[in-house]
Structures are given as C-alpha cells and as structure tokens.
Amino acid sequence: MDNFFKRPVGAAVLYLNDFHFGANLNKLNRAARLVPKDVKGFASLLSDTKDADPDHVQDIIDLLDNYANDVDNDLIFKLNKQ
C-alpha cells in the first residue's frame, strides 16, 4: 500500500488522474486545495485495491468533488453571514 499521507497532495492527484488520462484534473486540483486529507486518503485506499478500475476511481473523484462543493458552500455561507 502506498501511503499518500507522507507525500505531497500532488502525488495523490497524479495517481488518481492516471486512471482517466487527465479528464478530471480540474476536479482533482480543486479537491486537493479544499480537502487535501480526503484526496490523500482515497488515493491511499485505492493504491491497495488490486481490482480498482476507472469506474471505481470516477466514483471516488465524484465524491471528492462533492466534498469540495460542501466546503465551498460552507465558506460562502459563512461569508454571507458576516
């Protein structure tokens, strides 16, 4: 298992990006900025999954995008409250 927690978040982004040849790079970069620990965690889990395929990884990328949206929405909500 590759532990992406000991490496920069960019390494996890590149690992996840390789499954789709760059198609989700914008989503992954945004998630890396907003939820870096989640990106590293899912990349670590996937690196230990022998039968991971692009469909599995796409589900993870979509989930990371949802997490990033949640962070954005909370930040926007806090700014609107001020």
Side-chain angles (χ1 to χ4, degrees):
M1 178 173 162
D2 194 353
N3 186 351
F4 284 96
F5 285 104
K6 295 179 182 178
R7 299 169 59 189
V9 70
V13 167
L14 290 175
Y15 174 76
L16 295 171
N17 185 48
D18 281 345
F19 284 89
H20 293 97
F21 309 104
N24 294 298
L25 190 56
N26 289 336
K27 286 182 182 181
L28 288 168
N29 283 332
R30 181 171 168 260
R33 190 176 74 251
L34 296 172
V35 288
K37 290 181 181 178
D38 294 314
V39 173
K40 290 180 179 185
F42 280 117
S44 294
L45 289 172
L46 281 169
S47 72
D48 196 36
T49 305
K50 292 177 177 41
D51 59 349
D53 63 20
D55 291 333
H56 291 119
V57 177
Q58 186 63 51
D59 290 339
I60 296 299
I61 291 170
D62 291 341
L63 183 63
L64 288 168
D65 191 42
N66 288 339
Y67 286 0
N69 287 336
D70 290 344
V71 169
D72 259 351
N73 290 338
D74 284 345
L75 291 176
I76 290 169
F77 177 74
K78 288 177 185 175
L79 289 174
N80 286 339
K81 236 180 158 180
Q82 291 178 350

